[in-house]
């Protein structure tokens, strides 16, 4: 448990790891061209998650301290501390940069894992079924129950499409009024939402986390994107891509439906003004047209 761990320390664990490795590079303990310890060795040394190590190494790479070579490992750069960029006229130059860039692709499970290093975890989510969120939180629950540090509190605000709304997708191609695709979506949404409920409830009832809250609201719109705001300091955003596919409806029968790619959608990191505007957008949705479901599920 992490009851005595300062929130600021937990929130910036990856920065502490990056600064420690950067100091070793600057001092010459890790000279140019030398290989850094493996991810496993760094996890053991710093007693943090693999996602934290990956984030720290990513920051070091952006700052020009290390280079990652596929299949070989991570090596100290020849000129540590200078990151190569290209100007508008195509001329290369070097600049210091240790901050993550908005718009880069991101691994959602790793982003959630990093968020759970804070003592106070907050997640605001707008999505179609909560499948990705349920899967990622289940992994954090398993980590915590296996002995990894746990936050003091978790608060999740989730906005989903209203089950009473006839959504644009999924929809049968040749008969839009066929309710079977939407019925299937509603069952999936219920399954993943109550999966979230059970995971979070278990963490509280087993005394792993002192305070847990999940509030679900619904809106009468079809989501065309997914948005997650993590701890108020990082955003994850992705578009749902539309497609036509086959759906089994029982008895060996199939129908063609319009649907979306969701779980495997490419996700992007949000920071700066994009993140701030996304937070305002979510809050405006939450305070206006989003309606309470059967919540709070627990207090």
């Amino acid at each position: 448990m992490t009851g005595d761990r300062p929130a600021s320390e937990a929130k910036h664990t990856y920065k502490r790891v990056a600064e420690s490795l950067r100091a070793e590079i600057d001092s010459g303990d890790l000279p140019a061209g030398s290989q850094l310890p493996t991810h496993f060795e760094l996890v053991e040394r710093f007693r943090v998650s693999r996602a934290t190590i990956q984030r720290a190494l990513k920051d070091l790479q952006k700052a020009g301290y290390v280079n990652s070579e596929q299949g070989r490992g991570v090596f100290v750069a020849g000129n540590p501390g200078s990151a190569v960029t290209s100007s508008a006229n195509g001329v290369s130059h070097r600049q210091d940069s240790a901050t993550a860039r908005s718009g880069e692709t991101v691994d959602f499970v790793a982003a959630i894992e990093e968020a759970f290093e804070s003592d106070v975890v907050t997640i605001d989510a707008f999505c179609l079924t909560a499948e990705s969120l349920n899967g990622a939180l289940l992994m954090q629950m398993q980590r915590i129950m296996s002995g990894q540090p746990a936050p003091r509190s978790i608060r999740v605000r989730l906005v989903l499409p209203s089950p009473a709304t006839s959504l644009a997708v999924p929809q049968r191609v040749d008969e839009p009024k066929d309710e079977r695709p939407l019925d299937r979506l509603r069952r999936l949404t219920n399954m993943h939402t109550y999966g979230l409920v059970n995971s979070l409830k278990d963490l509280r009832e087993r005394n792993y986390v002192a305070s847990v809250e999940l509030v679900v609201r619904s809106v009468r719109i079809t989501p065309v994107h997914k948005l997650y705001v993590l701890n108020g300091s990082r955003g994850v955003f992705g578009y749902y891509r539309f497609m036509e596919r086959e759906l089994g409806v029982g008895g060996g029968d199939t129908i063609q439906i319009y649907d979306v790619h969701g779980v495997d959608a490419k996700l992007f990191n949000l920071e700066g003004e994009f993140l701030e505007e996304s937070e305002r957008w979510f809050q405006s949705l939450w305070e206006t047209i989003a309606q309470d479901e059967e919540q709070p599920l627990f207090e």
Side-chain angles (χ1 to χ4, degrees):
M1 301 292 287
T2 59
D4 297 323
R5 184 177 49 155
S8 58
E9 177 184 346
K11 185 174 183 179
H12 301 294
T13 302
Y14 78 92
K15 291 184 178 180
R16 174 175 58 81
V17 174
E19 288 168 1
S20 178
L21 293 173
R22 187 181 295 114
E24 292 181 36
I25 294 171
D26 288 338
S27 68
D29 291 340
L30 287 171
S34 64
Q35 184 173 6
L36 268 65
T38 65
H39 281 59
F40 177 78
E41 291 170 335
L42 292 173
V43 166
E44 290 294 305
R45 171 183 166 185
F46 290 103
R47 307 300 299 173
V48 296
S49 68
R50 182 179 176 84
T52 298
I53 296 299
Q54 290 174 331
R55 180 74 185 273
L57 294 178
K58 190 174 184 179
D59 274 12
L60 289 175
Q61 186 170 2
K62 288 176 184 174
Y65 276 85
V66 301
N67 296 314
S68 178
E69 299 183 17
Q70 186 69 32
R72 295 191 61 211
V74 180
F75 296 82
V76 179
N79 185 15
S82 296
V84 179
T85 63
S86 295
S87 62
N89 61 9
V91 177
S92 295
H93 63 282
R94 291 181 176 270
Q95 66 177 17
D96 291 333
S97 175
T99 58
R101 297 173 184 172
S102 185
E104 291 184 334
T105 56
V106 62
D107 179 88
F108 184 60
V109 172
I112 291 293
E113 186 172 336
E114 182 182 317
F116 266 69
E117 290 173 0
S118 174
D119 272 1
V120 178
V121 176
T122 63
I123 300 174
D124 290 339
F126 171 73
C127 50
L128 184 63
T129 66
E131 181 175 1
S132 297
L133 183 60
N134 180 34
L137 289 186
L138 179 59
M139 294 181 67
Q140 297 314 303
M141 174 185 171
Q142 293 169 342
R143 288 182 61 250
I144 291 170
M145 290 185 172
S146 69
Q148 294 293 318
R152 290 187 184 132
S153 69
I154 302 171
R155 188 207 68 186
V156 179
R157 298 193 299 177
L158 176 62
V159 178
L160 298 167
S162 170
T165 299
S166 182
L167 303 176
V169 288
Q171 181 184 110
R172 183 170 174 175
V173 174
D174 60 348
E175 183 51 67
K177 293 183 179 180
D178 189 336
E179 286 289 315
R180 287 177 293 179
L182 277 175
D183 287 341
R184 176 181 177 273
L185 177 71
R186 291 164 185 145
R187 289 194 299 271
L188 286 173
T189 301
N190 286 337
M191 179 179 69
H192 294 302
T193 302
Y194 282 100
L196 284 172
V197 172
N198 291 331
S199 294
L200 294 175
K201 202 170 184 179
D202 278 351
L203 288 176
R204 192 196 65 179
E205 290 181 347
R206 299 187 187 188
N207 296 319
Y208 286 102
V209 180
S211 174
V212 174
E213 179 184 14
L214 169 64
V215 181
V216 181
R217 292 184 178 177
S218 64
V219 289
R220 293 178 176 270
I221 56 177
T222 303
V224 296
H225 71 269
K226 55 173 67 178
L227 170 69
Y228 308 93
V229 178
L230 310 177
N231 295 347
S233 61
R234 183 181 188 183
V236 177
F237 176 91
Y239 288 106
Y240 288 109
R241 296 196 313 274
F242 296 88
M243 62 175 179
E244 181 177 334
R245 72 176 184 89
E246 191 174 75
L247 174 69
V249 292
D253 295 333
T254 62
I255 58 175
Q256 291 298 119
I257 67 169
Y258 294 123
D259 205 352
V260 293
H261 285 285
V263 174
D264 59 347
K266 184 175 289 187
L267 300 176
F268 298 91
N269 187 60
L270 299 184
E271 295 186 354
E273 291 186 11
F274 201 164
L275 171 60
E276 292 172 4
E277 188 62 24
S278 296
E279 289 183 284
R280 286 191 286 267
W281 178 88
F282 182 91
Q283 191 63 28
S284 70
L285 186 71
W286 187 262
E287 294 177 345
T288 57
I289 62 175
Q291 300 178 343
D292 285 328
E293 289 297 311
E294 298 175 4
Q295 299 300 320
L297 292 168
F298 41 90
E299 298 176 353

mmCIF file of all heavy atoms in Angstrom, residues 170-173 181 184 243-247 255-259:
data_model
loop_
_atom_site.group_PDB
_atom_site.id
_atom_site.type_symbol
_atom_site.label_atom_id
_atom_site.label_comp_id
_atom_site.label_asym_id
_atom_site.label_seq_id
_atom_site.Cartn_x
_atom_site.Cartn_y
_atom_site.Cartn_z
ATOM 1 N N PRO A 170 -23.758 0.209 -33.959
ATOM 2 C CA PRO A 170 -23.822 -0.693 -35.117
ATOM 3 C C PRO A 170 -25.212 -0.657 -35.760
ATOM 4 O O PRO A 170 -26.212 -0.471 -35.069
ATOM 5 C CB PRO A 170 -23.514 -2.050 -34.508
ATOM 6 C CG PRO A 170 -24.012 -1.940 -33.102
ATOM 7 C CD PRO A 170 -23.759 -0.538 -32.679
ATOM 8 N N GLN A 171 -25.236 -0.893 -37.085
ATOM 9 C CA GLN A 171 -26.484 -0.819 -37.822
ATOM 10 C C GLN A 171 -26.462 -1.811 -38.975
ATOM 11 O O GLN A 171 -25.456 -1.941 -39.668
ATOM 12 C CB GLN A 171 -26.670 0.599 -38.373
ATOM 13 C CG GLN A 171 -27.951 0.834 -39.137
ATOM 14 C CD GLN A 171 -27.988 2.229 -39.724
ATOM 15 O OE1 GLN A 171 -27.894 2.390 -40.936
ATOM 16 N NE2 GLN A 171 -28.112 3.261 -38.882
ATOM 17 N N ARG A 172 -27.554 -2.508 -39.159
ATOM 18 C CA ARG A 172 -27.640 -3.452 -40.269
ATOM 19 C C ARG A 172 -27.644 -2.693 -41.592
ATOM 20 O O ARG A 172 -28.333 -1.678 -41.746
ATOM 21 C CB ARG A 172 -28.909 -4.298 -40.149
ATOM 22 C CG ARG A 172 -29.044 -5.364 -41.225
ATOM 23 C CD ARG A 172 -30.171 -6.327 -40.915
ATOM 24 N NE ARG A 172 -30.391 -7.260 -42.023
ATOM 25 C CZ ARG A 172 -31.252 -8.276 -41.978
ATOM 26 N NH1 ARG A 172 -31.949 -8.497 -40.857
ATOM 27 N NH2 ARG A 172 -31.397 -9.080 -43.009
ATOM 28 N N VAL A 173 -26.854 -3.173 -42.537
ATOM 29 C CA VAL A 173 -26.682 -2.460 -43.799
ATOM 30 C C VAL A 173 -27.984 -2.372 -44.581
ATOM 31 O O VAL A 173 -28.374 -1.294 -45.044
ATOM 32 C CB VAL A 173 -25.579 -3.127 -44.648
ATOM 33 C CG1 VAL A 173 -25.498 -2.476 -46.032
ATOM 34 C CG2 VAL A 173 -24.226 -3.047 -43.937
ATOM 35 N N PRO A 181 -28.233 -5.712 -33.870
ATOM 36 C CA PRO A 181 -26.893 -5.167 -33.646
ATOM 37 C C PRO A 181 -26.817 -4.268 -32.416
ATOM 38 O O PRO A 181 -25.858 -4.342 -31.639
ATOM 39 C CB PRO A 181 -26.609 -4.393 -34.941
ATOM 40 C CG PRO A 181 -27.448 -5.063 -35.973
ATOM 41 C CD PRO A 181 -28.702 -5.439 -35.247
ATOM 42 N N ARG A 184 -26.967 -6.273 -29.156
ATOM 43 C CA ARG A 184 -25.661 -6.862 -28.852
ATOM 44 C C ARG A 184 -24.733 -5.817 -28.233
ATOM 45 O O ARG A 184 -24.021 -6.095 -27.258
ATOM 46 C CB ARG A 184 -25.030 -7.433 -30.120
ATOM 47 C CG ARG A 184 -23.621 -7.974 -29.920
ATOM 48 C CD ARG A 184 -23.047 -8.507 -31.222
ATOM 49 N NE ARG A 184 -21.675 -8.953 -31.046
ATOM 50 C CZ ARG A 184 -20.618 -8.149 -31.149
ATOM 51 N NH1 ARG A 184 -20.806 -6.846 -31.409
ATOM 52 N NH2 ARG A 184 -19.400 -8.620 -30.983
ATOM 53 N N MET A 243 -16.592 0.722 -40.469
ATOM 54 C CA MET A 243 -16.344 -0.393 -41.381
ATOM 55 C C MET A 243 -17.641 -1.160 -41.600
ATOM 56 O O MET A 243 -18.626 -1.001 -40.857
ATOM 57 C CB MET A 243 -15.293 -1.338 -40.791
ATOM 58 C CG MET A 243 -15.737 -1.976 -39.484
ATOM 59 S SD MET A 243 -14.590 -3.194 -38.850
ATOM 60 C CE MET A 243 -15.406 -3.681 -37.319
ATOM 61 N N GLU A 244 -17.636 -2.000 -42.609
ATOM 62 C CA GLU A 244 -18.722 -2.951 -42.828
ATOM 63 C C GLU A 244 -18.191 -4.333 -42.516
ATOM 64 O O GLU A 244 -17.093 -4.708 -42.950
ATOM 65 C CB GLU A 244 -19.222 -2.890 -44.270
ATOM 66 C CG GLU A 244 -20.382 -3.844 -44.558
ATOM 67 C CD GLU A 244 -20.915 -3.728 -45.976
ATOM 68 O OE1 GLU A 244 -20.766 -2.635 -46.576
ATOM 69 O OE2 GLU A 244 -21.478 -4.727 -46.496
ATOM 70 N N ARG A 245 -18.962 -5.107 -41.756
ATOM 71 C CA ARG A 245 -18.510 -6.441 -41.390
ATOM 72 C C ARG A 245 -19.693 -7.374 -41.218
ATOM 73 O O ARG A 245 -20.860 -6.956 -41.195
ATOM 74 C CB ARG A 245 -17.669 -6.407 -40.114
ATOM 75 C CG ARG A 245 -18.461 -6.135 -38.837
ATOM 76 C CD ARG A 245 -17.543 -6.213 -37.628
ATOM 77 N NE ARG A 245 -18.251 -6.064 -36.362
ATOM 78 C CZ ARG A 245 -18.789 -7.074 -35.681
ATOM 79 N NH1 ARG A 245 -18.710 -8.313 -36.149
ATOM 80 N NH2 ARG A 245 -19.397 -6.862 -34.535
ATOM 81 N N GLU A 246 -19.373 -8.655 -41.037
ATOM 82 C CA GLU A 246 -20.390 -9.689 -40.864
ATOM 83 C C GLU A 246 -20.634 -9.932 -39.385
ATOM 84 O O GLU A 246 -19.694 -9.968 -38.584
ATOM 85 C CB GLU A 246 -19.922 -10.978 -41.545
ATOM 86 C CG GLU A 246 -20.980 -12.053 -41.685
ATOM 87 C CD GLU A 246 -20.466 -13.228 -42.500
ATOM 88 O OE1 GLU A 246 -19.656 -14.008 -41.946
ATOM 89 O OE2 GLU A 246 -20.850 -13.359 -43.667
ATOM 90 N N LEU A 247 -21.889 -10.114 -39.006
ATOM 91 C CA LEU A 247 -22.249 -10.386 -37.610
ATOM 92 C C LEU A 247 -23.097 -11.639 -37.538
ATOM 93 O O LEU A 247 -24.111 -11.761 -38.224
ATOM 94 C CB LEU A 247 -23.021 -9.201 -37.018
ATOM 95 C CG LEU A 247 -23.579 -9.408 -35.598
ATOM 96 C CD1 LEU A 247 -22.451 -9.484 -34.575
ATOM 97 C CD2 LEU A 247 -24.555 -8.285 -35.236
ATOM 98 N N ILE A 255 -25.599 -11.434 -40.717
ATOM 99 C CA ILE A 255 -26.061 -10.225 -41.386
ATOM 100 C C ILE A 255 -24.865 -9.293 -41.566
ATOM 101 O O ILE A 255 -23.861 -9.395 -40.850
ATOM 102 C CB ILE A 255 -27.168 -9.501 -40.586
ATOM 103 C CG1 ILE A 255 -26.665 -9.147 -39.178
ATOM 104 C CG2 ILE A 255 -28.429 -10.343 -40.520
ATOM 105 C CD1 ILE A 255 -27.659 -8.328 -38.361
ATOM 106 N N GLN A 256 -24.940 -8.375 -42.511
ATOM 107 C CA GLN A 256 -23.906 -7.367 -42.715
ATOM 108 C C GLN A 256 -24.283 -6.117 -41.941
ATOM 109 O O GLN A 256 -25.418 -5.643 -42.017
ATOM 110 C CB GLN A 256 -23.762 -7.029 -44.199
ATOM 111 C CG GLN A 256 -23.171 -8.146 -45.050
ATOM 112 C CD GLN A 256 -21.756 -8.509 -44.632
ATOM 113 O OE1 GLN A 256 -21.485 -9.653 -44.239
ATOM 114 N NE2 GLN A 256 -20.860 -7.544 -44.709
ATOM 115 N N ILE A 257 -23.312 -5.609 -41.174
ATOM 116 C CA ILE A 257 -23.584 -4.415 -40.378
ATOM 117 C C ILE A 257 -22.482 -3.371 -40.585
ATOM 118 O O ILE A 257 -21.362 -3.698 -40.988
ATOM 119 C CB ILE A 257 -23.686 -4.735 -38.872
ATOM 120 C CG1 ILE A 257 -22.321 -5.194 -38.314
ATOM 121 C CG2 ILE A 257 -24.762 -5.773 -38.605
ATOM 122 C CD1 ILE A 257 -22.284 -5.268 -36.802
ATOM 123 N N TYR A 258 -22.853 -2.120 -40.321
ATOM 124 C CA TYR A 258 -21.861 -1.064 -40.165
ATOM 125 C C TYR A 258 -21.470 -1.039 -38.697
ATOM 126 O O TYR A 258 -22.318 -1.037 -37.807
ATOM 127 C CB TYR A 258 -22.429 0.290 -40.574
ATOM 128 C CG TYR A 258 -22.748 0.410 -42.041
ATOM 129 C CD1 TYR A 258 -24.029 0.738 -42.470
ATOM 130 C CD2 TYR A 258 -21.757 0.204 -42.995
ATOM 131 C CE1 TYR A 258 -24.319 0.845 -43.827
ATOM 132 C CE2 TYR A 258 -22.039 0.307 -44.357
ATOM 133 C CZ TYR A 258 -23.324 0.630 -44.764
ATOM 134 O OH TYR A 258 -23.608 0.733 -46.093
ATOM 135 N N ASP A 259 -20.156 -1.010 -38.446
ATOM 136 C CA ASP A 259 -19.650 -1.062 -37.085
ATOM 137 C C ASP A 259 -18.409 -0.182 -36.996
ATOM 138 O O ASP A 259 -18.052 0.492 -37.964
ATOM 139 C CB ASP A 259 -19.335 -2.508 -36.691
ATOM 140 C CG ASP A 259 -19.402 -2.741 -35.180
ATOM 141 O OD1 ASP A 259 -19.544 -1.755 -34.431
ATOM 142 O OD2 ASP A 259 -19.311 -3.909 -34.756
#
